[in-house]
Amino acid sequence: MKKTVLGFMLSAALLFGAGATQAQGIKMPAPSPAQKVEQAVGLGTITVDYSRPAVKGRTIFGDLVPYGKIWRTGANASTKIKFSDDVTIEGNKVPAGEYALYTIPNKDEWTIIIHKNTKHWGDGGPEYKQEEDQLRFKVKPQQNPRKAESFTINFTNLKADAADVEILWDKTIVPFTVKTDVDTRVMAQIDEQVVKNANANPGLYAAAANYYYETNRDLKQAHEWMKKANEKDPKFWNLHAQAKIEAKMKNYKEAIKTAEKSMELAKAANNADYVSLNEKAIADWKKMK
């Protein structure tokens, strides 16, 4: 009898022990899933690594996230933002590197904090030192017309040298603008690889010409470079670009001729898009003659 009871107790212990072990290994969805987003901006990238809590029927700003206090800007560890290149944020210079992104929400104004110490958990608590801030600046929150159930950080309004970082949660959007110095770096490359390079290839000439055209620089120089590209290796897309430069110089007669050459090559390559682009351009420029 004693052996039977003892055996039952041992079996029960093993059973419950196994259950406990299995419970420790159960995988469940994280309440605030991690996300890492990366966006090419200019010639570099911006990366944000953060956790995404959900609204779940709660009042967020002014309650769950109190006004006037530093917030980790997400959940779990502090949100990280990394710049591969030097940038300016709302006009303030920030060196390349990784930072913690903190905020101080208020009803009518938010303080955005770019903080050099990335080791803190959450909002940093008593270990947080304001002297370790790289930058603080203020922005105005906006009303979100579409409720964001999950906390989100994303990128909008992408330009050649800038993007807006948007913080969204519930009915609130908080954007700020990050810019990079693209022009100085591109112009340095053009100077080295085209202006000072007697053996520049057609691709380099075309790239430099397109940049001059897109940034409203010396059209005469842009035209000269694009002509060199097309004389050595005519491509329908570069001929179309040359025609646009000629039209911008108000030389519509020459632009039409160049566009017709572009269209011939595009037809031979079965590229309907460039055939259509040239047809439309020619029709427009004929009105301008």
Side-chain angles (χ1 to χ4, degrees):
M1 179 68 177
K2 288 182 180 179
K3 289 183 179 180
T4 304
V5 172
L6 180 60
F8 174 78
M9 291 173 67
L10 287 171
S11 298
L14 289 170
L15 178 63
F16 286 115
T21 301
Q22 290 176 0
Q24 290 173 3
I26 294 174
K27 291 184 178 180
M28 293 183 289
S32 301
Q35 183 173 50
K36 189 173 186 177
V37 291
E38 183 175 278
Q39 177 63 57
V41 179
L43 302 181
T45 57
I46 303 173
T47 307
V48 180
D49 196 343
Y50 70 110
S51 294
R52 306 184 64 187
V55 175
K56 297 180 180 178
R58 299 173 292 185
T59 300
I60 302 301
F61 297 112
D63 190 355
L64 180 67
V65 178
Y67 287 139
K69 293 185 178 180
I70 288 181
W71 179 42
R72 70 188 75 185
T73 317
N76 303 325
S78 61
T79 289
K80 310 299 188 299
I81 186 165
K82 184 176 182 180
F83 309 105
S84 65
D85 295 340
D86 295 350
V87 297
T88 59
I89 304 178
E90 293 292 327
N92 303 282
K93 292 182 180 180
V94 175
E98 185 175 51
Y99 302 88
L101 174 64
Y102 293 108
T103 52
I104 302 176
N106 277 296
K107 187 175 181 180
D108 299 317
E109 186 176 69
W110 280 43
T111 299
I112 310 294
I113 304 169
I114 307 297
H115 189 70
K116 289 182 282 189
N117 190 331
T118 61
K119 306 297 184 184
H120 297 316
W121 178 264
D123 60 13
E127 296 181 356
Y128 180 97
K129 296 180 177 63
Q130 189 168 337
E131 56 265 30
E132 291 183 317
D133 291 349
Q134 174 67 38
L135 171 67
R136 286 190 177 207
F137 60 94
K138 297 182 185 298
V139 293
K140 297 289 185 183
Q142 301 172 5
Q143 184 75 14
N144 187 358
R146 181 180 178 184
K147 178 180 175 180
E149 172 65 23
S150 297
F151 176 73
T152 302
I153 299 178
N154 63 15
F155 298 89
T156 60
N157 299 325
L158 291 172
K159 299 180 177 65
D161 63 347
D164 287 349
V165 178
E166 281 192 341
I167 298 168
L168 303 93
W169 202 14
D170 198 17
K171 299 177 181 178
T172 300
I173 303 176
V174 182
F176 59 89
T177 301
V178 180
K179 291 187 176 182
T180 65
D181 184 6
V182 170
D183 192 65
T184 300
R185 294 171 64 186
V186 173
M187 289 299 290
Q189 292 178 77
I190 290 173
D191 184 60
E192 180 182 352
Q193 298 181 43
V194 179
V195 176
K196 296 177 180 177
N197 183 7
N199 299 311
N201 62 45
L204 291 173
Y205 279 127
N210 275 316
Y211 190 75
Y212 265 46
Y213 172 82
E214 294 293 342
T215 56
N216 296 310
R217 282 185 159 84
D218 185 348
L219 287 176
K220 185 177 178 181
Q221 180 64 80
H223 186 245
E224 180 183 325
W225 284 336
M226 192 60 80
K227 280 188 70 175
K228 284 185 178 181
N230 286 320
E231 285 166 3
K232 291 185 177 182
D233 186 19
K235 303 291 187 186
F236 59 81
W237 56 89
N238 284 337
L239 282 164
H240 182 75
Q242 180 180 323
K244 290 197 297 181
I245 294 170
E246 290 163 347
K248 200 169 184 178
M249 296 171 73
K250 301 189 184 304
N251 189 348
Y252 299 111
K253 184 177 179 180
E254 197 65 29
I256 290 168
K257 288 182 181 179
T258 305
E260 287 172 344
K261 292 177 186 177
S262 171
M263 188 160 58
E264 287 175 14
L265 291 180
K267 285 179 179 178
N270 293 316
N271 191 298
D273 289 340
Y274 266 87
V275 171
S276 177
L277 283 172
N278 282 297
E279 286 177 341
K280 185 178 185 308
I282 290 167
D284 290 341
W285 295 336
K286 281 181 177 180
K287 299 173 186 176
M288 307 296 288
K289 287 174 61 178

